[in-house]
Amino acid sequence: MSRSESSRASQRKQQKVAQQQQQRQQQEQEVLNQRMMQQMQQIQQISNKITQQKMNQKKFTFEYLGIESITRGEIMESFGSIRCILIMGPQSRAEKLASQCVTKLKVSKQYDKIGDSEFFSIYRAGTVLTCSHGMGLSSVCIFLNELLRIMSISQNNEYEIIRLGSSGGIGVSGGTLVVSTHALDPVTMKPEWVYYSCGHEIKQECIFNPQICKRLYTISKAKQFNVEYGKTVSAESYYEGQARLDGALCPYTEKDKMKYLKCLHKNGVRNFEMEGTVLAGICTRNGIKCAMLCVAYLDRLKQDTVPGTFTKKEIDSWMENAIDTLLQYIYQFILKK
């Protein structure tokens, strides 16, 4: 082999060695980078875990629900799996419904009371909450503001709300179940919640979920209950707001009352109650499915109070029919999901 050939061979060998060394350095650098990346990920995971623990330990107070101190972790544990929230006026009715969810639907071994409030009550039975919100727009507004804040903290977006109500019928007989298609403002007669904040009038659209409404109607019909679809006027007061003649203030006549009630009936209104627009408005604003099922205790076109022709047993059976409808709804569309 000539000197020139020997020199070229030597150069090739040196180049090969240099390339191999460079490849090893690149491989070592890649391994080092991977290790650093893994360490950074581990540090990030530990940091996230610590942050999550601190967040879960943060405490909240919900004054009107009677919850003095509850951590985020406890909120997620208690409310994160809720799928249906049933709201109604009286505490006794909410507890009774919670009890029946246990005894009839077997959703859990027992129901638990959450909070200790003189205003509202919350009972949990499995994935169902039954709650009392008091009477009137202001009362249900306070209740829903605090409850929906809890549900937001729990990061639960998989629930729906149904209100079980008492109402005065308009053109429907006592004992009729009314599935509300719309909750109407008593002045504008539109499906909207009109309220005031910071000196301004605010109008919030009110939408009931048509699928839930249809299911409630179908179940009631299948059970051969007297049931109707209808628009609902959400009045601000029990006497004057619903054109009753037996209150302390009565700046209108029998003729005024009948003209108003007949106008409502002609426009598809089938009952009065006092919470629907707030429920539908707040739920619509927050993207929550909601509906309302009410018992009509009398026909306001005929009288202002429940007629004495019905016995207490008959009157009580009307609400039992509504409760039976809700229990069947939970069984079919909540528990079987």
Side-chain angles (χ1 to χ4, degrees):
M1 179 183 297
S2 66
R3 289 183 177 178
S4 60
E5 290 176 342
S6 176
S7 177
R8 286 194 294 271
S10 177
Q11 289 176 354
R12 287 196 295 270
K13 186 176 181 180
Q14 290 175 356
Q15 289 174 351
K16 186 175 182 181
V17 170
Q19 289 175 350
Q20 290 175 343
Q21 186 177 7
Q22 185 177 13
Q23 288 176 353
R24 282 197 300 270
Q25 290 175 345
Q26 289 177 346
Q27 291 172 353
E28 290 173 355
Q29 186 63 45
E30 288 176 359
V31 171
L32 181 61
N33 290 341
Q34 288 176 355
R35 288 177 180 174
M36 289 179 65
M37 184 62 70
Q38 289 174 352
Q39 290 176 351
M40 290 177 64
Q41 290 175 346
Q42 289 174 352
I43 292 172
Q44 186 63 47
Q45 288 173 355
I46 293 172
S47 176
N48 289 343
K49 187 176 181 180
I50 293 172
T51 301
Q52 190 68 37
Q53 288 175 345
K54 288 183 178 180
M55 288 178 64
N56 288 343
Q57 291 169 0
K58 181 179 179 181
K59 294 184 178 181
F60 298 87
T61 297
F62 301 93
E63 179 182 358
Y64 292 101
L65 296 183
I67 301 175
E68 293 184 2
S69 179
I70 185 170
T71 66
R72 182 173 180 274
E74 290 170 337
I75 288 175
M76 295 184 74
E77 181 180 352
S78 297
F79 297 90
S81 62
I82 296 300
R83 293 296 172 265
C84 184
I85 301 176
L86 305 176
I87 67 173
M88 58 216 75
Q91 175 271 334
S92 58
R93 188 180 299 160
E95 185 170 11
K96 181 178 181 179
L97 195 44
S99 177
Q100 292 191 7
C101 283
V102 172
T103 58
K104 294 184 177 182
L105 300 182
K106 312 297 182 184
V107 296
S108 59
K109 292 182 179 180
Q110 64 182 31
Y111 66 89
D112 301 306
K113 185 177 182 181
I114 301 175
D116 183 19
S117 169
E118 61 180 317
F119 305 105
F120 311 113
S121 297
I122 300 176
Y123 300 94
R124 180 186 173 184
T127 58
V128 179
L129 288 184
T130 64
C131 315
S132 67
H133 55 57
M135 182 182 289
L137 298 172
S138 296
S139 180
V140 74
C141 185
I142 294 171
F143 170 78
L144 286 175
N145 266 282
E146 293 209 348
L147 180 64
L148 296 190
R149 182 167 171 244
I150 287 178
M151 298 306 294
S152 176
I153 294 170
S154 75
Q155 298 181 344
N156 182 352
N157 298 312
E158 302 298 325
Y159 64 94
E160 55 194 50
I161 302 178
I162 302 176
R163 174 172 134 72
L164 171 62
S166 304
S167 68
I170 301 177
V172 297
S173 59
T176 301
L177 302 185
V178 179
V179 178
S180 300
T181 58
H182 303 82
L184 305 183
D185 177 85
V187 177
T188 68
M189 294 307 297
K190 295 179 180 179
E192 59 188 12
W193 172 34
V194 181
Y195 64 100
Y196 299 86
S197 182
C198 300
H200 300 286
E201 180 184 80
I202 300 173
K203 294 184 178 181
Q204 169 60 52
E205 184 180 19
C206 296
I207 299 174
F208 286 127
N209 183 270
Q211 184 181 59
I212 300 176
C213 293
K214 183 177 180 180
R215 288 171 174 175
L216 292 173
Y217 180 88
T218 301
I219 291 171
S220 298
K221 204 71 175 176
K223 290 179 176 292
Q224 298 185 335
F225 298 150
N226 188 11
V227 59
E228 288 196 23
Y229 283 121
K231 298 176 183 177
T232 299
V233 168
S234 294
E236 291 190 2
S237 60
Y238 181 80
Y239 287 97
E240 296 76 32
Q242 298 180 42
R244 282 185 163 85
L245 298 172
D246 54 346
L249 299 174
C250 190
Y252 44 85
T253 64
E254 171 78 21
K255 184 178 179 181
D256 295 329
K257 163 194 164 181
M258 294 308 299
K259 180 180 178 181
Y260 176 54
L261 294 181
K262 287 179 180 179
C263 178
L264 293 180
H265 185 265
K266 183 179 179 180
N267 284 279
V269 175
R270 292 297 175 266
N271 62 336
F272 277 120
E273 56 83 67
M274 299 170 62
E275 293 85 14
T277 49
V278 171
L279 167 65
I282 289 181
C283 286
T284 300
R285 179 68 177 81
N286 289 277
I288 301 166
K289 296 178 182 178
C290 71
M292 185 162 67
L293 176 66
C294 292
V295 177
Y297 281 94
L298 72 163
D299 183 358
R300 290 296 316 290
L301 291 175
K302 297 179 180 179
Q303 58 264 133
D304 286 347
T305 58
V306 180
T309 53
F310 296 111
T311 66
K312 183 179 184 303
K313 185 176 180 181
E314 286 177 312
I315 294 171
D316 290 344
S317 72
W318 301 340
M319 183 56 69
E320 290 298 329
N321 291 344
I323 290 174
D324 191 22
T325 297
L326 289 179
L327 291 174
Q328 185 65 34
Y329 175 87
I330 293 170
Y331 176 75
Q332 284 183 228
F333 301 107
I334 303 299
L335 300 183
K336 287 193 170 185
K337 272 189 177 181

